[in-house]
Amino acid sequence: MTKLYKAYLLTLFVVIISGCSSRYQTRQDTAPVRIPTEHEMRDAKVKLEAKSVSAGRPYVVRGKQYHPMSDEKGYKAEGIASWYGQKFHGYYTSNGEIFNMYDMTAAHKTLPLPSFVKVTNLENGKSAIVRVNDRGPFHDDRIIDLSYAAAYKLGYHNQGTAKVQIEAITLDRVAPRLTYIQVVASSNKTNIEHLAGKLSSQFAINTKIAEEDGLHKLRLGPLDNDEHAQSLLENLQRGEFRHAFLLYSEQQL
């Protein structure tokens, strides 16, 4: 084997490993090669949608913990908006959809997924309604990440960021919202069943064991109201279940 061929193999190996070590094909985000059409920049249509259970759980990014909201009703805030495009196009969002930089969508750290917000550029008065279906931006000085199409409609696609106002848009829900507490998850079904019986007796409450992703997840509920749920959650977290969290659903889990 010649030195030149060995060098070629080594280079090829490094390139392959480097490619596999990154989720995205490019390090820096870029704008697409074309501008969005008028049709693509139409406001997102507000409608009733079931919230993602998995995207409503607490999560940690870069050592910082985030606690998603249970309800976006009444949410209003001001801050700096950025946008994302080519680098993330075609990859999964936090609620399992495929990101399309030409859709009127957005990323937010704590709003329920999905939810709808009206975003107004305070520098030029332009506004748009977007569907929040992703998490981010994970910078302390930014409040929301809009898709390239939404940023283009708001007129800040060239400068990268803009000061905006965000207002949640909600519709009255026909189905009542059910509240649960997920206590713990384990691969040991026997232990979970034993714990379910213990907590059911201790708190006089219904229990449910769900099987997801190879784990047995113990949930309490549905609970009669949010105040009761919050009180019980705090009681559990003060004890051995500090990672317990609330779950909301419009159907029996």
Side-chain angles (χ1 to χ4, degrees):
M1 185 180 293
T2 66
K3 291 183 178 179
L4 181 61
Y5 186 65
K6 287 181 179 179
Y8 166 76
L9 290 179
L10 178 61
T11 301
L12 181 61
F13 177 77
V14 170
V15 169
I16 292 173
I17 294 299
S18 298
C20 293
S21 65
S22 175
R23 178 185 174 189
Y24 305 107
Q25 294 181 356
T26 59
R27 288 183 176 273
Q28 299 296 325
D29 201 1
T30 57
V33 294
R34 69 170 179 85
I35 64 174
T37 65
E38 289 295 326
H39 178 77
E40 290 167 334
M41 288 189 289
R42 290 181 180 177
D43 286 344
K45 185 177 180 180
V46 181
K47 55 185 178 180
L48 292 173
E49 293 189 72
K51 303 301 185 185
S52 169
V53 173
S54 59
R57 298 167 183 166
Y59 65 98
V60 177
V61 174
R62 299 173 185 169
K64 184 174 182 178
Q65 189 169 47
Y66 298 90
H67 296 270
M69 306 174 200
S70 60
D71 194 339
E72 70 273 28
K73 189 173 183 179
Y75 175 78
K76 187 175 182 179
E78 290 186 7
I80 300 299
S82 49
W83 62 266
Y84 61 141
Q86 192 80 33
K87 177 180 178 180
F88 305 93
H89 185 75
Y91 289 91
Y92 285 107
T93 65
S94 296
N95 69 338
E97 299 172 358
I98 300 297
F99 174 65
N100 184 337
M101 59 187 167
Y102 292 110
D103 287 341
M104 294 294 283
T105 59
H108 191 278
K109 301 181 189 75
T110 57
L111 279 169
L113 303 185
S115 55
F116 296 87
V117 296
K118 179 182 178 181
V119 184
T120 302
N121 185 339
L122 296 177
E123 298 169 6
N124 59 21
K126 295 181 178 180
S127 64
I129 296 174
V130 297
R131 181 173 176 269
V132 181
N133 68 343
D134 205 359
R135 291 289 177 228
F138 297 109
H139 299 273
D140 291 338
D141 62 338
R142 298 177 191 176
I143 193 171
I144 196 169
D145 242 350
L146 299 187
S147 66
Y148 176 74
Y152 193 97
K153 183 172 184 177
L154 292 187
Y156 74 91
H157 58 290
N158 286 329
Q159 64 210 62
T161 61
K163 186 173 181 180
V164 299
Q165 180 184 77
I166 306 171
E167 299 174 87
I169 301 175
T170 57
L171 298 175
D172 291 335
R173 297 185 180 278
V174 177
R177 187 184 65 173
L178 302 176
T179 305
Y180 296 82
I181 294 176
Q182 180 157 311
V183 181
V184 69
S186 171
S187 59
N188 191 317
K189 186 176 182 179
T190 301
N191 288 349
I192 290 293
E193 288 175 338
H194 175 74
L195 181 60
K198 177 182 175 182
L199 294 181
S200 177
S201 176
Q202 180 180 351
F203 296 108
I205 195 170
N206 292 329
T207 62
K208 168 73 175 178
I209 298 175
E211 296 186 17
E212 298 176 358
D213 305 321
L215 293 175
H216 305 282
K217 301 179 178 181
L218 174 57
R219 294 164 180 167
L220 307 182
L223 302 168
D224 50 8
N225 59 66
D226 287 349
E227 185 176 347
H228 178 207
Q230 188 62 42
S231 175
L232 179 55
L233 176 65
E234 292 172 0
N235 191 354
L236 291 166
Q237 290 176 335
R238 282 194 296 268
E240 59 182 302
F241 306 110
R242 61 189 183 91
H243 294 299
F245 58 88
L246 294 176
L247 282 178
Y248 298 95
S249 176
E250 292 175 0
Q251 58 186 0
Q252 292 278 352
L253 294 179

